[in-house]
Amino acid sequence: MPRLHHDKYAYDESHEFLHLEHVFHQDYVMLMDIVLMSDTFLDLQKDIFQEYFSLLVDRLETETKEKNVRRVVEHTLQELNAKLTLFADKIDKVDYFAIKWSIRVFFDNVLIGSLIGDTSMMIFRDNALYYAVSNDYDNVERIDLFSEFLEWEMTPGDEMILLGYDIHTVFDKQELKKFDNLFSLQHGDVVDFLEEIMSMRIDMSLATFILRTTYSASWEKVLAHKNSTFPHVWKGVRGYVWSLAHKILPSWDWDWETIRYPVVISVLSLLILGLGIGLLSGLTSTSAPVMESVDGTMTEVTIQSIKKDLAYFQRLDPTSDQKSHLYRQLTEQLDFLDSQWLWPDDVKELRTLVETSYQQGFNIVYVNNFNVFTDEVTGTDSTTIAFNENESSSLGSPVRLFVANGWLNILGSVGSLLDVIDDDRRGTLITYDFDGSSESALQTCTPNLLNNGAYCVSDINALYNVTKAGLEWLTIDTGDSFPSSISDVATFGRSNFYILTRSLYDNQRDVYITRYTNVVGSQTQFTKPTDYPVSVISGVVLEPERMTIDTTFLMWDGGQVHQWYRAGQWLTLTDRPIDMLGGDETNGYSDSVEILTHESTRYILLFDRENQTLTVYDTVGMKTNDSFAQDYEMSYVMRFIFNVSASVVDVALDDTTANAPIVYVLTSEGVYKIKLIDFVEDIVSPTT
C-alpha cells in the first residue's frame, strides 16, 4: 500500500483537531482531518463528521474502480454538506461555524478529495511547486462546507501541503509563479520556508495548521506505474546491448580466454551508461508542458489530464458553477497546446469532444432552422405566420411581439399586425400616421389594458395606444406630461400602466418606476402618477433598460436579474439581486436582455437579443409560492442558441400556459412557435 508520512504543525492549539483514517486494502486509504473552530456543540459537530466518515467507509469498501470512488465521494460529501447546513440552521447561538481542512482518498496512485473552509493545498514534486489551489467558494450558508473538489495523479516522492489559510493572500501571482526560485535560494525545508514567509505577512495563529503528507510507494509499484516507461526502456536497452556485444566481440582475432569477460563487462557498462544518459536526456526534454492559468496557478497539461477533466465535466450537473469553470479551463488548456504546436491531431479530436460535451452538459440546443420545433406527434409546422411582401414592407422593422387572449400582436416600427392566429387567419394590418411630426418609428411597446393592442413609445418619447383604429395619444387628465426620457413601459392588471425612466429630477440618480391608473371607461387617459424610487446599496447606480412584471418588478442590469418589490405600504422599492445558479458563465449575457415570465409560471426566461440566445431557468423555492415570492433563486435548465438566416428580434411568452410554457419567436420573416415544455421535460424527466 502507499506509504504516507505526515508532519503536522499547529499554530493555534485552542481548536479541536479531528483525525480519522481507514485503510481499505493495498493502495486504498482514506483520511479525514478536520479543525472545528467553534466549540459550541462541539460533540455534535464531531458526531456529524464521524457519522459520514463511517458512511463513506461502508460505501467505498467494495469499490474497485476509480470513477466509482470519485462518484461515491462526491455524492456523500453533498449529503454531508446538507447535514451541516441543517445543523447550523438549528443553532441560533452561533452566527457562523468555521471549519477547516480536508478529506482525501488515495486510490492506487490517484488522490481524490475536497477542501472545506479557508484551506489551501500545494503539491511539490522534486522540490518544485506543481500545483496550488485555495478553497475560494463564496459560501452563503452559516457553516463552512466542502466545495473545492480535488483530483491529482500522485508520483512517489510527492509532497502535499495543506494549510489553514488562503495561500493566494500570502503570495501574489508572480511569487507563486517564481516559487521554485524563491525556495531554492533558502536551501531548506519547504515548511520552514512557508513558516518564515507567512510569519512576516500574517498572524500565524490565523493559519491554524500546516500538514505535510509525503507520498511514497514500493519499488514494485513504481515499476507498475501506468505512465512509467522505465520497465520497457530497460528491457529494450538490455536486449540491444547483449546483442551488440555478441556480434562485435567474437569477431576479434586475438585470444580472449584471459580477458574476455572483463572486457565484455567493461564494454557493456560503457554502452549502458551512454544509452542511459541519452534516454534520460530525451525523457527530460519531453516532459509535459506547464501552463500558467489566469489566477497564476501553474498546471501541467497533457492529453491524458484533459481527458480526465473532460470526464469529470461530463458528470457535473449544469446547475453547478464548477461546470462552467471547468469548461473554461478545458478550452484554455486546448488553446495552450495549440499555441505550443503539441499533439495537433489529439487536440483537434478533443476540441470536438469538448464541444459535444458542452452542448450536452449545458443542455444547449443550436437552432439553425426553425423546423427543429415542428411537432413530431401532430406534424404541425412551427411556423405560425410567414410574412408576405406587403406585410414586411408595412411593418418596417419588427419591434415587439405579444400574446393576448390566444392572439398574436406584432408591432413594427411603422406598422402593426394585430389579432394574428396563424397563416390562414392573418389578423389586421395597420400603418402608423404620425401627423407629419418629426417622429418616424416606434421603439418599444407593451400590451394595453384591454389586450386589444399595445401602448408604444415613439423615437421622440411620445406615448400611443396602437389598435386596429390606428394611433391614439395617451394623456394625463391633469394636463401634466409624461416623462421625457422613457426606457420601457408595462401594464399589470386592468388599470395599472407603468413607465420605467431615469430620475424625474435632474439632481438625483435614482431609477424610478412611475405608476398611472386609467380614468374609468378609458384606456388612453390616466390620472396623476405615483412615483416609486428604488432603494439600492450606497454607491450602486442601476441603469436597467427593460422591465417585466409578475406582481413584482424584474429588471436586467449589470449581468444579473434584479427584483424590485414594495415592503409593506412604503412606495420605495427594495432592490434584490437574484442568485442565478449554474449555466455557462464563459458565454454570458450582453446588456440587451429581456426577461420573460408572468405571475402564474415558475419559469424565468432570458432573451439576449445581442447574443441571440434564449435561456431557461426554473426557480428554486418556486416564485409562484407566496412564501418564496421574494426569496427564490434561479436555477439553470437549458439554452437555445439561434443561428438562423433572419435574426430573432423578440420572444413572447404565452401567459395562459402557466408551468407548461409556450413561447413565440419573432424575426423579420415571421413568427415561430416553440413548445418549450417538451424540451424542459426531456431534461428534467428524460424518456430514455
Side-chain angles (χ1 to χ4, degrees):
M1 66 175 240
R3 294 193 292 273
L4 305 173
H5 178 73
H6 307 288
D7 296 302
K8 186 179 78 172
Y9 306 81
Y11 305 105
D12 189 346
E13 298 285 1
S14 64
H15 303 302
E16 183 74 15
F17 285 75
L18 179 65
H19 173 76
L20 301 171
E21 182 173 342
H22 184 82
V23 178
F24 294 97
H25 51 73
Q26 185 177 2
D27 310 321
Y28 192 3
V29 180
M30 180 168 64
L31 304 166
M32 179 184 280
D33 290 284
I34 299 296
V35 183
L36 303 172
M37 309 293 285
S38 172
D39 57 4
T40 303
F41 294 100
L42 187 58
D43 289 339
L44 283 177
Q45 295 183 65
K46 292 167 63 176
D47 288 346
I48 292 174
F49 286 102
Q50 289 169 340
E51 173 191 348
Y52 277 84
F53 186 84
S54 298
L55 181 60
L56 262 174
V57 169
D58 293 340
R59 290 175 173 178
L60 293 174
E61 193 73 57
T62 58
E63 295 296 349
T64 58
K65 294 183 178 180
E66 178 189 328
K67 66 177 183 179
N68 293 340
V69 173
R70 185 191 306 109
R71 174 182 54 79
V72 170
V73 171
E74 190 171 6
H75 177 69
T76 306
L77 289 182
Q78 290 174 356
E79 293 179 352
L80 174 54
N81 281 344
K83 181 79 171 187
L84 291 170
T85 302
L86 182 63
F87 162 76
D89 288 343
K90 291 181 178 180
I91 308 299
D92 297 327
K93 295 181 179 180
V94 179
D95 292 332
Y96 193 87
F97 287 91
I99 303 171
K100 295 184 180 184
W101 228 332
S102 72
I103 183 170
R104 289 99 66 212
V105 178
F106 293 89
F107 183 85
D108 198 0
N109 62 307
V110 176
L111 163 67
I112 298 170
S114 182
L115 304 180
I116 184 171
D118 193 7
T119 305
S120 299
M121 184 182 78
M122 307 172 76
I123 291 183
F124 292 85
R125 183 170 295 169
D126 299 326
N127 284 329
L129 177 61
Y130 250 58
Y131 185 68
V133 63
S134 296
N135 189 13
D136 57 358
Y137 176 64
D138 186 14
N139 189 16
V140 297
E141 305 294 344
R142 294 178 53 242
I143 191 169
D144 281 317
L145 303 175
F146 284 101
S147 55
E148 190 71 43
F149 194 80
L150 307 173
E151 187 169 354
W152 185 261
E153 189 169 334
M154 303 293 289
T155 296
D158 281 359
E159 285 189 321
M160 178 176 64
I161 291 180
L162 290 164
L163 60 152
Y165 204 78
D166 184 353
I167 192 65
H168 292 92
T169 63
V170 180
F171 297 93
D172 63 27
K173 176 180 176 180
Q174 291 303 316
E175 287 179 323
L176 282 175
K177 182 179 179 181
K178 300 177 180 178
F179 191 93
D180 301 344
N181 294 334
L182 294 173
F183 173 50
S184 64
L185 295 175
Q186 305 298 314
H187 299 291
D189 182 82
V190 66
V191 173
D192 293 339
F193 175 65
L194 283 172
E195 286 182 324
E196 181 179 350
I197 300 299
M198 291 174 67
S199 62
M200 291 188 295
R201 299 181 179 183
I202 66 170
D203 179 353
M204 285 301 289
S205 65
L206 298 176
T208 313
F209 64 87
I210 290 180
L211 173 68
R212 170 170 50 195
T213 299
T214 305
Y215 175 87
S216 61
S218 65
W219 175 246
E220 292 78 9
K221 190 63 185 176
V222 174
L223 295 183
H225 193 285
K226 61 183 179 183
N227 288 331
S228 174
T229 57
F230 180 78
H232 308 289
V233 170
W234 165 243
K235 183 178 180 181
V237 170
R238 183 184 60 185
Y240 174 73
V241 169
W242 281 108
S243 174
L244 186 64
H246 178 73
K247 290 179 180 179
I248 295 176
L249 296 180
S251 65
W252 295 347
D253 295 333
W254 55 81
D255 184 13
W256 284 96
E257 293 304 321
T258 306
I259 61 172
R260 180 182 183 90
Y261 289 105
V263 170
V264 168
I265 293 172
S266 300
V267 171
L268 286 176
S269 300
L270 289 172
L271 285 171
I272 290 172
L273 179 62
L275 288 170
I277 292 173
L279 285 167
L280 289 173
S281 175
L283 290 173
T284 302
S285 64
T286 57
S287 60
V290 177
M291 182 188 83
E292 180 183 6
S293 61
V294 177
D295 62 0
T297 303
M298 308 303 292
T299 306
E300 187 179 90
V301 182
T302 65
I303 294 298
Q304 189 62 30
S305 68
I306 292 178
K307 286 181 178 179
K308 281 191 173 185
D309 286 344
L310 178 58
Y312 182 42
F313 170 83
Q314 292 168 335
R315 293 193 303 272
L316 286 172
D317 190 275
T319 61
S320 164
D321 289 334
Q322 189 180 0
K323 193 177 187 78
S324 181
H325 171 77
L326 190 54
Y327 172 68
R328 184 189 300 112
Q329 176 180 306
L330 285 167
T331 55
E332 287 176 352
Q333 290 180 355
L334 289 172
D335 290 342
F336 170 72
L337 293 182
D338 256 344
S339 70
Q340 303 296 311
W341 296 89
L342 294 171
W343 309 301
D345 293 338
D346 290 327
V347 170
K348 182 179 179 180
E349 180 183 348
L350 278 172
R351 279 197 187 279
T352 302
L353 289 173
V354 168
E355 182 60 23
T356 302
S357 299
Y358 166 76
Q359 296 177 34
Q360 297 172 347
F362 285 112
N363 303 322
I364 303 290
V365 177
Y366 282 96
V367 182
N368 299 312
N369 190 303
F370 285 106
N371 289 338
V372 70
F373 301 119
T374 297
D375 192 316
E376 296 180 357
V377 177
T378 64
T380 305
D381 194 287
S382 63
T383 305
T384 301
I385 180 172
F387 300 141
N388 57 39
E389 185 176 344
N390 179 47
E391 289 164 343
S392 294
S393 61
S394 298
L395 287 170
S397 300
V399 175
R400 296 301 301 273
L401 172 67
F402 302 111
V403 185
N405 302 321
W407 295 341
L408 301 178
N409 288 329
I410 303 159
L411 286 299
S413 59
V414 296
S416 294
L417 197 54
L418 305 177
D419 295 349
V420 176
I421 295 181
D422 52 34
D423 257 334
D424 296 326
R425 291 161 288 185
R426 308 183 71 85
T428 302
L429 180 65
I430 67 167
T431 55
Y432 310 142
D433 180 5
F434 291 111
D435 297 327
S437 66
S438 60
E439 60 192 340
S440 60
L442 298 184
Q443 300 294 315
T444 187
C445 303
T446 188
N448 62 21
L449 293 176
L450 295 180
N451 279 326
N452 66 347
Y455 294 140
C456 296
V457 185
S458 76
D459 51 4
I460 63 168
N461 279 290
L463 285 166
Y464 293 98
N465 182 33
V466 181
T467 64
K468 294 178 183 179
L471 299 182
E472 186 177 1
W473 287 85
L474 300 187
T475 60
I476 301 175
D477 62 356
T478 60
D480 294 330
S481 299
F482 288 105
S484 59
S485 179
I486 299 174
S487 296
D488 201 10
V489 290
T491 55
F492 188 76
R494 292 291 184 180
S495 60
N496 298 309
F497 173 52
Y498 297 88
I499 293 178
L500 173 66
T501 181
R502 295 297 301 164
S503 174
L504 299 182
Y505 310 101
D506 293 338
N507 63 342
Q508 295 185 12
R509 291 287 293 165
D510 294 337
V511 177
Y512 275 83
I513 289 179
T514 307
R515 177 173 63 87
Y516 300 83
T517 303
N518 70 308
V519 174
V520 177
S522 173
Q523 67 166 345
T524 59
Q525 191 173 21
F526 295 88
T527 60
K528 186 176 180 179
T530 302
D531 297 332
Y532 294 156
V534 181
S535 174
V536 297
I537 299 173
S538 177
V540 174
V541 177
L542 297 176
E543 298 180 312
E545 296 181 358
R546 298 285 191 193
M547 68 175 165
T548 300
I549 304 177
D550 68 343
T551 69
T552 65
F553 302 97
L554 296 177
M555 310 290 179
W556 179 262
D557 187 79
Q560 189 169 24
V561 176
H562 291 254
Q563 182 184 40
W564 295 354
Y565 61 91
R566 291 175 59 183
Q569 299 301 312
W570 297 100
L571 294 180
T572 299
L573 301 174
T574 298
D575 170 59
R576 181 179 80 93
I578 301 177
D579 289 334
M580 300 165 61
L581 310 177
D584 175 19
E585 296 179 357
T586 61
N587 296 302
Y589 295 96
S590 70
D591 293 331
S592 182
V593 172
E594 182 181 346
I595 302 170
L596 306 171
T597 190
H598 54 80
E599 62 179 317
S600 301
T601 184
R602 59 192 280 182
Y603 297 103
I604 295 177
L605 283 58
L606 302 181
F607 169 54
D608 189 330
R609 187 172 287 100
E610 182 176 320
N611 290 327
Q612 291 288 284
T613 61
L614 178 65
T615 309
V616 183
Y617 289 85
D618 199 354
T619 49
V620 179
M622 290 188 294
K623 72 184 186 71
T624 51
N625 185 327
D626 290 342
S627 300
F628 299 100
Q630 297 164 11
D631 193 32
Y632 59 84
E633 297 173 321
M634 295 168 56
S635 179
Y636 177 88
V637 177
M638 67 172 299
R639 170 175 284 177
F640 296 98
I641 298 179
F642 298 105
N643 185 25
V644 288
S645 56
S647 296
V648 176
V649 176
D650 198 18
V651 178
L653 177 63
D654 189 341
D655 62 5
T656 64
T657 54
N659 289 323
I662 293 176
V663 298
Y664 293 86
V665 176
L666 172 65
T667 75
S668 60
E669 296 177 349
V671 178
Y672 307 89
K673 180 180 180 179
I674 304 176
K675 291 181 67 177
L676 189 60
I677 188 61
D678 291 346
F679 291 88
V680 172
E681 286 182 341
D682 281 346
I683 293 169
V684 177
S685 303
T687 56
T688 57

